[in-house]
Amino acid sequence: MTPDTDDTRAVTGEAPRIPKRLALVASKGTLDQAYPPLILASTAVSLGWEAGIYFTFYGLDVLHKDRFDKLKVASLANPAGPMQLPNAIGALPGATAAATRMMKKWMTDARMPSIPEFLDMTRDLGVKFFACATTMGVMGVSEEDLIEGADIAGAAAFLDYAADADVSMFV
Amino acid sequence: MNPNSTPNTDADTTLDCSGLLCPLPVYKAALVLKRMGSGERLRLVTTDPGALEDIPAMARQRGDLLVSSTADDEKQVFVIEKGSQP
């Protein structure tokens, strides 16, 4: 029998360090809802965990090159939004743009990173970005439309990753 | 090491995260800790009220030692000793 020389644990006697894992589903494509998964994932990797986010349905816009910097927050039917307007006024042209500007100003004033900055931060720290293949097919999104570092994956591939997660959440 | 009963809260590195909200104090502290050697100490200044819970949680999850934590109305100061992990 040959000793397993690849297994350094056998030599050093150290316990293996298995990082915890966070698996998130990001299903929303609004500016406000793009933040929570990125905040959680950037925190997880800062704690020494692994983290992966499955961007599906409208959430895929967060990985879309032409859209990730243009996410909006609705003024209509959003009673907790930045502009608390009656729906009749919130539906007027320009109201969503105004609510979006206001939310971006809140974020800037609080020195919070923008969504593109958060994507860079999390990618640099090794967060996995899964792009939902079905969403791409349904919404006509091609691989070239996605930001660098996005892996196209179906539900089985994500569940394979999430099966080893310690914390899983749907956003 | 300081043999006195009072913990030695001298630090090798200081990071001021005043004015930053979650997740930035944890994110920035982890970046600095990754560059430090095991046993080295980081002095971290925060003003985010959430940091009172976040920084001890970060130390626990990363495997660092929270040497001290002090807070007044304006800011919190933590001294963290890096553990053996990267």
Side-chain angles (χ1 to χ4, degrees):
Chain A
M1 188 182 156
T2 36
D4 185 356
T5 48
D6 287 340
D7 190 351
T8 51
R9 281 175 284 139
V11 178
T12 61
E14 283 174 16
R17 183 179 151 75
I18 301 169
K20 291 181 185 170
R21 178 178 285 186
L22 173 70
L24 298 174
V25 176
S27 69
K28 312 249 182 358
T30 57
L31 179 63
D32 51 329
Q33 290 298 291
Y35 273 97
L38 294 171
I39 290 172
L40 287 167
S42 59
T43 301
V45 288
S46 297
L47 300 181
W49 298 16
E50 296 173 346
I53 311 174
Y54 190 70
F55 293 91
T56 188
F57 284 81
Y58 301 126
L60 189 65
D61 275 9
V62 179
L63 296 185
H64 195 296
K65 270 183 203 165
D66 301 331
R67 298 179 192 160
F68 76 145
D69 199 19
K70 300 188 182 79
L71 302 177
K72 295 179 176 62
V73 59
S75 55
L76 180 66
N78 189 356
M83 294 174 72
Q84 309 206 348
L85 301 172
N87 282 341
I89 296 171
L92 293 174
T96 288
T100 301
R101 274 198 305 276
M102 190 175 287
M103 176 143 210
K104 284 188 171 173
K105 184 174 185 314
W106 284 355
M107 289 298 181
T108 308
D109 290 352
R111 297 169 64 189
M112 285 291 277
S114 67
I115 294 300
E117 286 166 344
F118 250 121
L119 287 165
D120 284 342
M121 284 163 53
T122 48
R123 180 174 41 209
D124 289 350
L125 290 169
V127 173
K128 280 179 75 75
F129 298 154
F130 298 94
C132 172
T134 295
T135 306
M136 292 175 69
V138 168
M139 300 190 180
V141 175
S142 70
E143 190 171 359
E144 292 73 42
D145 295 329
L146 300 178
I147 64 168
E148 198 187 322
D151 292 332
I152 299 170
F158 174 68
L159 289 178
D160 185 44
Y161 178 86
D164 292 325
D166 300 90
V167 179
S168 306
M169 292 185 217
F170 187 97
V171 181
Chain B
M1 293 296 288
N2 189 337
N4 298 335
S5 55
T6 319
N8 174 11
T9 54
D10 290 348
D12 303 286
T13 307
T14 292
L15 176 66
D16 188 351
C17 288
S18 296
L20 299 181
L21 298 171
C22 163
L24 295 177
V26 164
Y27 168 79
K28 286 176 180 284
L31 286 182
V32 171
L33 283 162
K34 277 182 202 164
R35 292 198 299 267
M36 291 170 55
S38 176
E40 288 186 328
R41 290 182 171 194
L42 170 67
R43 182 173 176 272
L44 175 65
V45 181
T46 62
T47 55
D48 175 12
L52 271 177
E53 299 286 345
D54 275 355
I55 302 306
M58 177 192 75
R60 199 158 50 239
Q61 288 293 324
R62 279 186 34 85
D64 301 316
L65 176 70
L66 185 62
V67 176
S68 71
S69 139
T70 55
D72 59 31
D73 289 345
E74 289 174 2
K75 64 178 193 293
Q76 305 95 34
V77 180
F78 305 90
V79 175
I80 302 157
E81 184 174 299
K82 180 167 173 172
S84 58
Q85 80 292 2

